[in-house]
Amino acid sequence: MRRREFITLLGGAAAAWPLAAGAQQGERARRIGVLLGGAGADDPDMQANIAAFLQVLQQLGWTDGRNVKIEYRSPVGDASNTRKYAAELVALGPDVILATTTAATVALQQATRTLPIVFTMVVDPVGADIVESLPRPGGNTTGFMQFEYSLSGKWLELLKQIAPGVTRAAILRDPSIPTGIGQFAVIQALAPPSALR
């Protein structure tokens, strides 16, 4: 999925939040917490994502500083800062928190089980114990996967079409890292070892 399509989907999800009715004159401004992961807010790609997010919110009637206040935190890969900033955002009591990585989402879940959390860029939310299942996430957390698991099982089929002489393929993964476990299970189920014979 392209970045703009993803941000549009995220903005569409924002329409389902309690914010969606639009702030009436005299109502308090709503608050969104954003816990950035990866390269952080100074990264050009992250700046483009934030700009697209703000644009879609504005199209839905939400303008930062007018009827919504957005608080950003960016730990830039430091795990201790991720936990610290997650706690800071939760303490602010936002209406919803956006998490942009698996680590950010896990840190937020450790900090709250009541505030709504919407995650993005998570490879395996089930394997990372972020949600119970994809159709029924449960708890206070929901969001968007990086890609659809069912595509994983097709990779070997495509490999066989591209290189018909290939009879063996390997998948490298670290089983101690929960991210990707669900994806690996799908590969095993959809493309058993006999798939290349």
Side-chain angles (χ1 to χ4, degrees):
M1 180 179 292
R2 292 191 334 249
R3 180 178 299 131
R4 292 269 180 209
E5 292 170 348
F6 166 75
I7 297 298
T8 300
L9 281 174
L10 184 58
W17 298 337
L19 312 178
Q24 300 296 319
Q25 191 170 12
E27 279 189 35
R28 72 173 179 88
R30 301 300 183 151
R31 297 181 83 159
I32 300 173
V34 179
L35 185 55
L36 301 170
D42 293 336
D43 179 69
D45 287 337
M46 187 60 73
Q47 289 177 347
N49 288 342
I50 291 169
F53 176 63
L54 293 173
Q55 179 183 4
V56 171
L57 283 177
Q58 190 162 17
Q59 290 169 354
L60 295 168
W62 297 98
T63 303
D64 190 18
R66 187 173 53 93
N67 58 357
V68 68
K69 171 80 172 125
I70 303 175
E71 294 283 346
Y72 297 94
R73 298 295 185 275
S74 180
V76 192
D78 184 332
S80 62
N81 279 343
T82 302
R83 290 186 293 278
K84 178 180 105 176
Y85 291 147
E88 279 183 20
L89 286 173
V90 168
L92 293 173
D95 295 284
V96 66
I97 303 175
L98 172 65
T100 64
T101 63
T102 300
T105 306
V106 169
L108 285 165
Q109 282 188 319
Q110 291 169 349
T112 182
R113 289 295 183 172
T114 56
L115 293 175
I117 300 167
V118 178
F119 60 81
T120 65
M121 294 188 273
V122 172
V123 175
D124 186 358
V126 177
D129 280 334
I130 291 172
V131 298
E132 293 173 19
S133 72
L134 297 178
R136 300 194 187 282
N140 64 322
T141 307
T142 191
F144 304 93
M145 291 177 51
Q146 223 165 354
F147 57 88
E148 175 58 41
Y149 289 162
S150 63
L151 296 176
S152 304
K154 302 295 181 184
W155 294 340
L156 288 178
E157 292 176 24
L158 289 172
L159 177 61
K160 186 63 176 172
Q161 288 176 10
I162 293 167
V166 172
T167 58
R168 300 181 95 185
I171 298 170
L172 300 176
R173 70 177 186 96
D174 182 349
S176 68
I177 299 172
T179 300
I181 292 174
Q183 177 186 9
F184 185 67
V186 170
I187 291 171
Q188 286 180 312
L190 294 178
S194 61
L196 290 177
R197 291 187 184 142

Coordinates of all heavy atoms in Angstrom, one line a residue, residues 42-111:
D42 N 12.3 14.3 12.6 CA 13.2 15.1 11.7 C 13.4 14.4 10.3 O 13.9 15.0 9.4 CB 14.6 15.4 12.3 CG 14.4 16.3 13.5 OD1 13.5 17.1 13.5 OD2 15.3 16.3 14.4
D43 N 13.1 13.1 10.3 CA 13.3 12.3 9.1 C 12.3 12.8 8.0 O 11.1 13.0 8.2 CB 13.0 10.8 9.4 CG 13.1 10.0 8.2 OD1 14.3 9.8 7.7 OD2 12.1 9.4 7.7
P44 N 12.8 13.0 6.7 CA 11.9 13.5 5.7 C 10.7 12.6 5.4 O 9.6 13.2 5.2 CB 12.9 13.6 4.4 CG 14.2 13.7 5.0 CD 14.2 12.9 6.3
D45 N 10.9 11.3 5.5 CA 9.7 10.4 5.2 C 8.7 10.6 6.4 O 7.5 10.6 6.1 CB 10.2 9.0 5.2 CG 10.9 8.6 3.8 OD1 10.7 9.4 2.9 OD2 11.7 7.7 3.8
M46 N 9.2 10.7 7.6 CA 8.3 10.9 8.7 C 7.6 12.2 8.6 O 6.4 12.3 8.9 CB 9.0 10.8 10.1 CG 8.1 10.8 11.3 SD 6.9 9.4 11.3 CE 7.9 8.0 11.7
Q47 N 8.3 13.3 8.2 CA 7.7 14.6 8.0 C 6.6 14.5 6.9 O 5.5 15.1 7.1 CB 8.7 15.6 7.6 CG 9.6 16.0 8.8 CD 10.7 17.0 8.3 OE1 11.0 17.2 7.2 NE2 11.4 17.5 9.3
A48 N 6.8 13.7 5.9 CA 5.8 13.6 4.8 C 4.6 12.8 5.4 O 3.4 13.2 5.1 CB 6.4 12.8 3.6
N49 N 4.8 11.8 6.2 CA 3.7 11.1 6.8 C 2.9 12.0 7.8 O 1.7 12.0 7.7 CB 4.2 9.9 7.6 CG 4.7 8.8 6.7 OD1 4.4 8.7 5.6 ND2 5.5 7.9 7.3
I50 N 3.6 12.8 8.6 CA 2.9 13.7 9.5 C 2.1 14.7 8.7 O 0.9 15.0 9.0 CB 3.9 14.4 10.4 CG1 4.5 13.4 11.4 CG2 3.2 15.5 11.2 CD1 5.6 13.9 12.2
A51 N 2.7 15.3 7.6 CA 1.9 16.2 6.8 C 0.7 15.6 6.2 O -0.4 16.3 6.2 CB 2.9 16.8 5.7
A52 N 0.8 14.4 5.7 CA -0.4 13.7 5.1 C -1.4 13.5 6.2 O -2.6 13.6 5.9 CB 0.1 12.4 4.4
F53 N -1.0 13.0 7.4 CA -1.9 12.8 8.5 C -2.7 14.1 8.8 O -3.9 14.1 9.0 CB -1.1 12.3 9.7 CG -1.9 12.1 10.9 CD1 -3.0 11.2 11.0 CD2 -1.6 12.8 12.1 CE1 -3.7 11.0 12.1 CE2 -2.3 12.6 13.3 CZ -3.4 11.7 13.3
L54 N -1.9 15.2 9.0 CA -2.6 16.5 9.3 C -3.5 16.9 8.2 O -4.6 17.5 8.5 CB -1.5 17.6 9.5 CG -0.6 17.4 10.8 CD1 0.5 18.4 10.8 CD2 -1.5 17.4 12.0
Q55 N -3.2 16.7 6.9 CA -4.0 17.0 5.8 C -5.3 16.3 5.8 O -6.4 16.9 5.7 CB -3.3 16.8 4.5 CG -4.1 17.1 3.3 CD -3.4 16.8 2.0 OE1 -2.3 16.2 2.0 NE2 -4.0 17.1 0.8
V56 N -5.3 15.0 6.1 CA -6.5 14.2 6.2 C -7.4 14.6 7.4 O -8.6 14.7 7.3 CB -6.2 12.7 6.2 CG1 -7.5 11.9 6.4 CG2 -5.6 12.3 4.9
L57 N -6.7 14.9 8.5 CA -7.5 15.3 9.7 C -8.2 16.6 9.3 O -9.4 16.8 9.7 CB -6.6 15.5 10.9 CG -6.1 14.3 11.6 CD1 -5.2 14.7 12.7 CD2 -7.3 13.5 12.2
Q58 N -7.5 17.5 8.6 CA -8.1 18.8 8.3 C -9.3 18.6 7.3 O -10.3 19.3 7.5 CB -7.0 19.7 7.7 CG -7.6 21.2 7.5 CD -6.5 22.2 7.3 OE1 -5.3 21.8 7.0 NE2 -6.8 23.4 7.5
Q59 N -9.2 17.7 6.4 CA -10.3 17.4 5.5 C -11.5 16.9 6.3 O -12.6 17.0 5.8 CB -9.8 16.4 4.4 CG -8.9 16.9 3.4 CD -8.2 15.8 2.6 OE1 -8.5 14.6 2.8 NE2 -7.4 16.2 1.6
L60 N -11.2 16.3 7.4 CA -12.3 15.8 8.3 C -12.8 16.8 9.3 O -13.7 16.5 10.1 CB -11.8 14.5 9.0 CG -11.5 13.3 8.1 CD1 -10.8 12.2 8.9 CD2 -12.8 12.7 7.5
G61 N -12.2 18.0 9.2 CA -12.7 19.1 10.0 C -11.9 19.3 11.3 O -12.3 20.0 12.2
W62 N -10.7 18.7 11.4 CA -9.9 18.8 12.6 C -8.6 19.5 12.2 O -7.8 19.0 11.4 CB -9.6 17.4 13.1 CG -10.8 16.7 13.6 CD1 -11.5 15.8 12.8 CD2 -11.5 16.9 14.8 NE1 -12.7 15.4 13.5 CE2 -12.7 16.1 14.7 CE3 -11.3 17.7 15.9 CZ2 -13.6 16.1 15.8 CZ3 -12.2 17.7 16.9 CH2 -13.4 16.9 16.8
T63 N -8.3 20.6 12.9 CA -7.1 21.4 12.7 C -6.4 21.5 14.0 O -6.9 22.0 15.0 CB -7.5 22.8 12.1 OG1 -8.3 22.6 11.0 CG2 -6.3 23.6 11.8
D64 N -5.1 21.1 13.9 CA -4.2 21.2 15.0 C -4.1 22.7 15.5 O -3.9 23.6 14.7 CB -2.8 20.7 14.7 CG -1.9 20.5 15.9 OD1 -2.4 20.5 17.1 OD2 -0.7 20.4 15.7
G65 N -4.4 22.9 16.8 CA -4.3 24.2 17.4 C -5.7 24.9 17.4 O -5.8 25.9 18.1
R66 N -6.6 24.4 16.6 CA -8.0 25.0 16.6 C -8.9 24.1 17.4 O -9.4 24.5 18.5 CB -8.5 25.2 15.2 CG -9.8 26.0 15.1 CD -10.2 26.3 13.7 NE -10.2 25.2 12.8 CZ -11.3 24.4 12.6 NH1 -12.5 24.8 13.2 NH2 -11.3 23.4 11.8
N67 N -9.3 22.9 16.9 CA -10.2 22.1 17.6 C -9.6 20.7 18.0 O -10.3 19.9 18.6 CB -11.5 21.9 16.8 CG -11.2 21.3 15.5 OD1 -10.1 21.1 15.1 ND2 -12.3 21.0 14.7
V68 N -8.3 20.6 17.8 CA -7.6 19.4 18.2 C -6.2 19.8 18.6 O -5.6 20.7 17.9 CB -7.6 18.3 17.1 CG1 -6.8 18.6 15.9 CG2 -7.1 16.9 17.7
K69 N -5.6 19.2 19.6 CA -4.3 19.5 20.0 C -3.5 18.1 19.9 O -3.9 17.1 20.4 CB -4.2 19.9 21.5 CG -2.9 20.0 22.1 CD -2.2 21.3 21.7 CE -0.9 21.4 22.5 NZ 0.3 21.6 21.7
I70 N -2.4 18.2 19.1 CA -1.6 17.0 18.8 C -0.3 17.1 19.6 O 0.4 18.1 19.4 CB -1.4 16.8 17.3 CG1 -2.8 16.7 16.6 CG2 -0.6 15.5 17.1 CD1 -2.7 16.6 15.1
E71 N 0.0 16.1 20.4 CA 1.2 16.0 21.1 C 2.1 14.9 20.5 O 1.7 13.8 20.4 CB 1.0 15.7 22.6 CG 0.2 16.7 23.4 CD 1.1 17.9 23.8 OE1 2.3 17.8 23.7 OE2 0.5 18.9 24.2
Y72 N 3.3 15.3 20.1 CA 4.2 14.4 19.5 C 5.4 14.0 20.4 O 5.8 14.9 21.2 CB 4.9 15.0 18.2 CG 3.9 15.3 17.1 CD1 3.4 16.6 17.0 CD2 3.6 14.3 16.2 CE1 2.5 16.9 16.0 CE2 2.7 14.6 15.2 CZ 2.1 15.9 15.1 OH 1.3 16.2 14.1
R73 N 5.8 12.8 20.4 CA 7.0 12.3 21.1 C 7.8 11.5 20.2 O 7.2 10.6 19.4 CB 6.7 11.5 22.4 CG 5.9 12.3 23.4 CD 6.7 13.5 24.0 NE 6.1 14.1 25.1 CZ 5.2 15.1 25.0 NH1 4.8 15.6 23.8 NH2 4.6 15.7 26.0
S74 N 9.1 11.6 20.2 CA 9.9 10.9 19.2 C 11.2 10.3 19.9 O 12.1 11.1 20.1 CB 10.3 11.8 18.1 OG 11.1 11.1 17.2
P75 N 11.2 9.1 20.3 CA 12.3 8.5 21.0 C 13.5 8.2 20.2 O 14.6 7.9 20.7 CB 11.8 7.2 21.7 CG 10.6 6.9 20.8 CD 10.1 8.1 20.3
V76 N 13.4 8.2 18.9 CA 14.4 7.9 17.9 C 15.2 6.7 18.2 O 16.4 6.7 18.4 CB 15.4 9.2 17.7 CG1 16.3 9.0 16.5 CG2 14.6 10.4 17.6
G77 N 14.5 5.6 18.4 CA 15.2 4.3 18.6 C 15.7 3.9 20.0 O 16.2 2.8 20.2
D78 N 15.6 4.8 20.9 CA 16.0 4.5 22.3 C 14.9 3.9 23.1 O 13.9 4.6 23.4 CB 16.5 5.8 23.0 CG 17.1 5.6 24.3 OD1 16.7 4.7 25.0 OD2 18.0 6.4 24.7
A79 N 15.0 2.6 23.4 CA 14.0 1.9 24.1 C 13.5 2.5 25.4 O 12.3 2.6 25.7 CB 14.4 0.4 24.3
S80 N 14.5 3.1 26.2 CA 14.1 3.7 27.4 C 13.3 5.0 27.2 O 12.4 5.3 27.9 CB 15.3 4.0 28.3 OG 16.2 4.9 27.6
N81 N 13.7 5.7 26.1 CA 12.9 6.9 25.8 C 11.5 6.5 25.3 O 10.5 7.2 25.5 CB 13.6 7.7 24.8 CG 14.6 8.6 25.4 OD1 14.7 8.8 26.6 ND2 15.5 9.1 24.6
T82 N 11.4 5.4 24.6 CA 10.1 4.9 24.1 C 9.1 4.7 25.3 O 8.0 5.2 25.3 CB 10.2 3.6 23.3 OG1 11.1 3.9 22.2 CG2 8.9 3.2 22.8
R83 N 9.6 4.0 26.3 CA 8.7 3.8 27.5 C 8.5 5.1 28.2 O 7.3 5.4 28.7 CB 9.4 2.8 28.4 CG 9.4 1.4 27.9 CD 10.0 0.4 28.9 NE 11.4 0.6 29.2 CZ 12.4 0.1 28.4 NH1 12.1 -0.6 27.3 NH2 13.6 0.3 28.8
K84 N 9.5 6.0 28.3 CA 9.3 7.3 29.0 C 8.3 8.1 28.3 O 7.4 8.7 28.9 CB 10.6 8.0 29.1 CG 10.6 9.4 29.7 CD 11.9 10.0 29.7 CE 12.0 11.1 28.7 NZ 13.2 11.9 28.6
Y85 N 8.4 8.2 26.9 CA 7.5 9.1 26.2 C 6.1 8.5 26.1 O 5.1 9.2 26.1 CB 8.0 9.3 24.8 CG 9.2 10.2 24.7 CD1 10.2 10.1 23.8 CD2 9.4 11.2 25.7 CE1 11.3 10.9 23.8 CE2 10.5 12.1 25.7 CZ 11.5 11.9 24.7 OH 12.5 12.7 24.7
A86 N 6.0 7.2 26.1 CA 4.6 6.5 26.2 C 4.0 6.9 27.5 O 2.8 7.3 27.5 CB 4.8 5.0 26.1
A87 N 4.7 6.9 28.6 CA 4.1 7.3 29.9 C 3.7 8.7 29.9 O 2.7 9.1 30.4 CB 5.1 7.0 31.0
E88 N 4.5 9.6 29.3 CA 4.2 11.0 29.2 C 2.9 11.3 28.4 O 2.1 12.0 28.9 CB 5.3 11.8 28.5 CG 6.5 12.1 29.3 CD 7.6 13.0 28.6 OE1 7.2 13.6 27.5 OE2 8.7 13.0 29.0
L89 N 2.8 10.6 27.3 CA 1.6 10.8 26.5 C 0.3 10.3 27.2 O -0.7 10.9 27.2 CB 1.7 10.0 25.1 CG 2.6 10.7 24.1 CD1 2.8 9.8 22.9 CD2 2.1 12.1 23.7
V90 N 0.4 9.1 27.9 CA -0.7 8.6 28.6 C -1.1 9.6 29.8 O -2.3 9.8 30.0 CB -0.4 7.2 29.2 CG1 -1.4 6.8 30.2 CG2 -0.3 6.2 28.1
A91 N -0.1 10.2 30.4 CA -0.3 11.1 31.5 C -1.1 12.4 31.0 O -1.8 13.0 31.8 CB 1.0 11.5 32.2
L92 N -0.9 12.7 29.8 CA -1.7 13.9 29.2 C -3.1 13.6 29.0 O -3.9 14.5 28.8 CB -1.0 14.3 27.9 CG 0.4 14.8 27.9 CD1 1.0 15.0 26.5 CD2 0.4 16.1 28.7
G93 N -3.5 12.3 29.0 CA -4.9 11.9 28.9 C -5.5 12.3 27.5 O -6.6 12.8 27.5
P94 N -4.9 11.9 26.4 CA -5.4 12.2 25.1 C -6.7 11.4 24.8 O -6.9 10.4 25.5 CB -4.3 11.9 24.2 CG -3.5 10.8 24.9 CD -3.6 11.2 26.3
D95 N -7.4 11.8 23.8 CA -8.6 11.0 23.4 C -8.2 9.8 22.7 O -9.0 8.8 22.7 CB -9.5 11.9 22.5 CG -10.1 13.1 23.3 OD1 -11.0 12.9 24.1 OD2 -9.6 14.2 23.2
V96 N -7.1 9.8 22.0 CA -6.6 8.6 21.2 C -5.1 8.8 21.1 O -4.6 10.0 21.1 CB -7.3 8.5 19.9 CG1 -6.9 9.7 19.0 CG2 -6.9 7.2 19.2
I97 N -4.3 7.7 21.0 CA -2.9 7.8 20.8 C -2.6 7.0 19.5 O -3.0 5.9 19.3 CB -2.1 7.2 22.0 CG1 -2.5 7.9 23.3 CG2 -0.6 7.3 21.7 CD1 -1.8 7.3 24.5
L98 N -1.8 7.6 18.7 CA -1.3 7.0 17.4 C 0.2 6.5 17.7 O 1.0 7.3 18.1 CB -1.3 8.0 16.3 CG -0.6 7.5 15.0 CD1 -1.4 6.4 14.4 CD2 -0.6 8.7 14.0
A99 N 0.4 5.2 17.4 CA 1.8 4.7 17.6 C 2.2 4.2 16.2 O 1.5 3.6 15.5 CB 1.7 3.5 18.5
T100 N 3.5 4.6 15.9 CA 3.9 4.3 14.5 C 4.8 3.1 14.4 O 5.2 2.8 13.2 CB 4.7 5.5 13.9 OG1 5.9 5.7 14.7 CG2 3.8 6.7 13.9
T101 N 5.1 2.3 15.4 CA 5.9 1.1 15.3 C 5.4 0.1 16.3 O 4.7 0.4 17.2 CB 7.4 1.4 15.6 OG1 7.6 1.9 16.9 CG2 8.0 2.4 14.6
T102 N 6.0 -1.1 16.2 CA 5.7 -2.2 17.2 C 6.2 -1.8 18.6 O 5.4 -1.9 19.6 CB 6.3 -3.5 16.8 OG1 5.8 -3.9 15.5 CG2 6.1 -4.6 17.8
A103 N 7.4 -1.3 18.7 CA 8.0 -0.9 20.0 C 7.1 0.2 20.6 O 6.9 0.1 21.8 CB 9.4 -0.5 19.8
A104 N 6.7 1.2 19.9 CA 5.9 2.3 20.4 C 4.5 1.7 20.9 O 4.1 2.1 22.0 CB 5.7 3.3 19.4
T105 N 3.9 0.8 20.1 CA 2.6 0.3 20.5 C 2.8 -0.5 21.8 O 1.9 -0.4 22.7 CB 2.1 -0.6 19.4 OG1 2.1 0.2 18.2 CG2 0.7 -1.1 19.7
V106 N 3.8 -1.4 21.9 CA 4.0 -2.2 23.1 C 4.2 -1.3 24.3 O 3.6 -1.6 25.4 CB 5.1 -3.2 22.9 CG1 5.5 -3.9 24.2 CG2 4.8 -4.3 21.8
A107 N 5.0 -0.3 24.2 CA 5.3 0.6 25.3 C 4.0 1.3 25.7 O 3.7 1.5 26.9 CB 6.3 1.7 24.9
L108 N 3.1 1.7 24.8 CA 1.9 2.4 25.1 C 0.9 1.4 25.8 O 0.2 1.7 26.8 CB 1.2 2.9 23.9 CG 1.8 4.2 23.4 CD1 1.4 4.5 21.9 CD2 1.5 5.4 24.3
Q109 N 0.9 0.1 25.4 CA 0.0 -0.9 26.0 C 0.5 -1.1 27.4 O -0.3 -1.4 28.3 CB 0.0 -2.2 25.2 CG -0.8 -2.1 24.0 CD -1.0 -3.5 23.4 OE1 0.0 -4.2 23.2 NE2 -2.2 -3.8 22.9
Q110 N 1.8 -1.0 27.7 CA 2.3 -1.2 29.0 C 1.9 0.0 29.9 O 1.8 -0.2 31.1 CB 3.8 -1.4 29.0 CG 4.2 -2.7 28.4 CD 5.7 -2.8 28.2 OE1 6.5 -1.9 28.2 NE2 6.2 -4.0 27.8
A111 N 1.7 1.1 29.3 CA 1.4 2.3 30.1 C -0.1 2.5 30.3 O -0.5 3.2 31.2 CB 1.9 3.6 29.3

